[in-house]
Amino acid sequence: MRSFKWLAPAIYIVFLLLPIYWLLNMSFKTTNEILGAFSLWPQDFTLANYRKIFTDSTWYGGYLNSLAYVAVNTVISVAAALPAAYAFSRYHFLGDKHLFFWLLTNRMAPPAVFALPFFQLYSALHLFDTHIAVALAHCLFNIPLAVWILEGFMSGVPKELDETAYVDGYSFPRFFVKIFIPTITAGIGVTAFFCFMFSWVELLLAKNLTSVAAKPIAATMTRTASTAGYELGLLAAAGVLTIVPGAFVIYFVRHYIAKGFSLGRV
Amino acid sequence: MIGKTTNQRAWLLVAPVVALVAFNALIPMMTVVNYSFQETFGDNVFFFEGFKWYQQVLTSERFHASFGRQLVFTGVILAIEIPLGVAIALAMPRSGPWASVCLVLMALPLLIPWNVVGAMWNIFALPDIGLLGRAVNGMGIAYNFTQDPVSAWVTTVAMDVWHWTSLVVLLAYAGLCAIPDAYYQAAKIDGAGAWAVFRHIELPKMKRVLTIAILLRFMDSFMIYTEPFVLTGGGPGNTTTFLSIDLVKAALGQFDLGPAAAMSLIYFLIVLLVCYVFFTVVMRDEEK
């Protein structure tokens, strides 16, 4: 009996792609066409929406802002989480379990709870409307996640590796950078992917901590929706462009997603 | 599991993480705690109110209603996403080019900003210009998520399934890939059927990743805000006003700092309690 197992993932992927196709379809239409006639593909194909985004600095600036704070956040989260995850995976220390759970609780805190106090905190530090403010704020949920994922990967690495290195006369920092980090690149890739992902998609805090200079693209979209009427074509084009960096990152770590997850007993 | 040695200097390795998270968590949390016990009439003048706001929130119809909606929503999406995600992961090819294609395409929704997800589903489901809205209405089913509560709920759930099932798939898939081929061969020799293989090999091996999947989906769906806010604005009426939407309405919309802060803390404590129970049960299981 020939198996029809492939059908389930295939149908699921079609379901995933339909709304994305619809967004893409709309991004090549003029707003008039969107509101005027219903069609499965653009009748009056236009690139005007994309042209506007790439020439207007309030639009493309939004992308640069988002990418800037996401990149900073990913670097900070992974860099801070690496030694911590190593500590959790290799050592017992006073309060380790409670500390681990406390870290995780911050992944559970609803961002809505923090919207107002974050605004006050970062204003008081004169960091309001800077990229670093958003990058730091996103550490709240990304660092616990990074520690959690990395700890899983590190626990999968046999302890003999550490012991042999120490016997060979490696100091801890040298062992960590020269031997340990290269053995868990897959884990770091997966972790960076998750940090990028959760920082890129978050809007509530990012929007709250910025006004002009560091405004994320997603917030630019909501503003345009309310002030410039309802420019659907432009919105759709901006939406499509927010998918591009994500797609690029997935492509970049695709081998890590496939192999990395299983390597690290996540 | 590898044996761990006791080493108090490990605290030095954890210090940067503790500092960064504490800065972001403790200071804002104290602000919220402060507000939750005080009344303000502006101008930074505060009066101590004790547990007044907590009582008010816990007895208010509005909180009960949005809490109830939240519970139903989280229950529904867990009941759909977890089995669906596992089923798709089981049906996926384990290796080869198609595995990569599946993984890349399935990860796509996870990397779309949440308000874009909301906006996308909005224009996808609108009855006049959306593909879904047109198609469903074309089949003779009255469907308009901006006016009809049932449609709004179905659309919100469909959106969340669309958005997050892939996370369950990715995690379950990772768990499945970690099962050595020898297990399957042994099962084959024993003449085990597909169900027995799933029940006795695949499911136990996926336990850890499924725990993570359930925890993540519980936490994230419990604090869902942006997607339904953009899709339905919490409406029609209040029918899709979940806890976070209600909270932001109270805190930033009406600027009721005291009640909003009390609500924040109650909300946070509920999430914390559920996760703690879950966490301890799982940990106890693992140590066995």
Side-chain angles (χ1 to χ4, degrees):
Chain A
M1 190 181 80
R2 189 84 182 86
S3 149
F4 285 98
K5 239 169 119 180
W6 57 271
L7 215 57
I11 292 171
Y12 177 64
I13 286 173
V14 170
F15 167 65
L16 291 186
L17 291 183
L18 271 180
I20 298 178
Y21 168 72
W22 201 243
L23 193 72
L24 199 64
N25 175 19
M26 292 223 168
S27 72
F28 292 118
K29 290 178 176 180
T30 60
T31 299
N32 279 341
E33 194 195 331
I34 293 173
L35 296 176
F38 180 84
S39 60
L40 290 178
W41 50 85
Q43 307 290 324
D44 186 12
F45 189 86
T46 173
L47 285 172
N49 298 320
Y50 288 96
R51 201 171 300 131
K52 166 121 174 123
I53 289 172
F54 283 115
T55 51
D56 185 341
S57 69
T58 52
W59 278 105
Y60 69 76
Y63 284 98
L64 298 179
N65 289 336
S66 291
L67 286 172
Y69 70 70
V70 170
V72 173
N73 171 269
T74 305
V75 171
I76 297 178
S77 302
V78 174
L82 273 170
Y86 182 80
F88 282 119
S89 81
R90 292 295 193 258
Y91 300 122
H92 276 304
F93 51 97
L94 196 64
D96 52 356
K97 278 192 181 140
H98 295 283
L99 187 67
F100 197 70
F101 184 72
W102 172 71
L103 281 176
L104 282 188
T105 59
N106 294 296
R107 179 66 184 65
M108 302 163 195
V113 170
F114 287 105
L116 187 65
F118 264 23
F119 171 74
Q120 294 170 324
L121 174 65
Y122 284 98
S123 298
L125 294 169
H126 303 291
L127 285 175
F128 177 70
D129 204 16
T130 60
H131 300 111
I132 192 75
V134 184
L136 282 176
H138 282 179
C139 283
L140 174 73
F141 48 81
N142 266 352
I143 284 188
L145 190 75
V147 172
W148 194 14
I149 298 175
L150 281 173
E151 197 266 341
F153 275 97
M154 290 178 182
S155 297
V157 178
K159 225 187 158 192
E160 285 71 37
L161 182 78
D162 313 32
E163 282 154 6
T164 325
Y166 294 140
V167 170
D168 287 348
Y170 276 84
S171 67
F172 172 70
R174 224 179 108 216
F175 155 73
F176 198 71
V177 175
K178 292 261 172 178
I179 297 180
F180 198 69
I181 288 182
T183 42
I184 51 155
T185 37
I188 296 176
V190 172
T191 312
F193 169 76
F194 272 98
C195 288
F196 175 94
M197 166 180 150
F198 280 107
S199 182
W200 177 252
V201 298
E202 203 279 339
L203 183 69
L204 186 60
L205 294 180
K207 197 173 145 191
N208 243 286
L209 289 173
T210 54
S211 63
V212 185
K215 199 181 185 69
I217 178 60
T220 313
M221 286 177 64
T222 45
R223 187 206 52 191
T224 311
S226 47
T227 56
Y230 214 49
E231 286 195 66
L232 280 171
L234 196 58
L235 263 175
V240 169
L241 289 176
T242 62
I243 303 177
V244 174
F248 185 73
V249 170
I250 298 172
Y251 184 78
F252 196 65
V253 298
R254 69 191 188 287
H255 295 302
Y256 290 134
I257 299 185
K259 292 183 200 147
F261 271 106
S262 48
L263 246 173
R265 298 191 301 151
V266 179
Chain B
M1 270 285 147
I2 49 167
K4 295 183 186 180
T5 42
T6 304
N7 184 348
Q8 302 303 341
R9 281 196 304 169
W11 265 98
L12 291 175
L13 298 175
V14 199
V17 159
V18 173
L20 272 168
V21 176
F23 171 75
N24 272 313
L26 296 186
I27 301 173
M29 192 54 90
M30 278 321 294
T31 320
V32 179
V33 172
N34 264 337
Y35 285 145
S36 73
F37 288 107
Q38 299 182 84
E39 164 83 284
T40 177
F41 302 102
D43 292 335
N44 267 327
V45 185
F46 289 91
F47 303 95
F48 187 73
E49 287 284 5
F51 284 97
K52 180 177 158 192
W53 302 132
Y54 290 89
Q55 272 172 345
Q56 190 184 319
V57 169
L58 284 173
T59 52
S60 85
E61 291 279 325
R62 179 176 153 180
F63 180 75
H64 292 166
S66 51
F67 183 59
R69 281 191 287 268
Q70 186 68 66
L71 279 182
V72 173
F73 178 75
T74 298
V76 169
I77 64 111
L78 279 178
I80 297 176
E81 287 173 15
I82 302 292
L84 184 65
V86 172
I88 291 168
L90 283 171
M92 261 169 71
R94 288 295 139 74
S95 57
W98 285 110
S100 291
V101 170
C102 281
L103 289 171
V104 169
L105 288 176
M106 284 177 188
L108 211 51
L110 300 174
L111 280 133
I112 301 176
W114 295 346
N115 68 324
V116 178
V117 171
M120 184 194 293
W121 271 81
N122 191 315
I123 55 175
F124 181 60
L126 276 174
D128 48 349
I129 61 167
L131 183 61
L132 180 70
R134 279 273 176 141
V136 174
N137 279 310
M139 285 187 282
I141 304 165
Y143 169 84
N144 186 342
F145 72 89
T146 55
Q147 267 145 39
D148 168 34
V150 177
S151 303
W153 261 83
V154 171
T155 315
T156 314
V157 169
M159 174 177 70
D160 201 79
V161 169
W162 179 87
H163 192 182
W164 287 111
T165 305
S166 294
L167 186 75
V168 183
V169 176
L170 285 182
L171 286 166
Y173 180 77
L176 286 174
C177 285
I179 303 176
D181 271 342
Y183 282 49
Y184 291 109
Q185 282 154 10
K188 214 173 182 181
I189 292 167
D190 289 347
W195 172 252
V197 170
F198 174 71
R199 178 67 193 81
H200 296 290
I201 297 178
E202 290 170 330
L203 198 59
K205 278 284 168 185
M206 278 195 292
K207 210 174 106 189
R208 192 176 150 91
V209 282
L210 279 185
T211 310
I212 296 178
I214 293 171
L215 256 183
L216 279 177
R217 284 316 299 133
F218 167 77
M219 298 189 297
D220 289 345
S221 68
F222 221 76
M223 49 177 117
I224 191 168
Y225 171 79
T226 312
E227 306 97 304
F229 183 75
V230 175
L231 181 70
T232 62
N238 275 328
T239 45
T240 52
T241 300
F242 301 117
L243 273 177
S244 270
I245 298 180
D246 204 14
L247 179 61
V248 173
K249 262 188 201 164
L252 300 176
Q254 298 151 356
F255 230 71
D256 282 336
L257 289 185
M263 189 174 152
S264 297
L265 288 175
I266 294 169
Y267 183 4
F268 186 41
L269 285 177
I270 293 169
V271 181
L272 208 62
L273 187 75
V274 175
C275 291
Y276 185 75
V277 170
F278 199 77
F279 198 72
T280 29
V281 168
V282 169
M283 281 297 157
R284 198 180 302 150
D285 253 27
E286 237 174 42
E287 272 163 24
K288 265 181 199 165

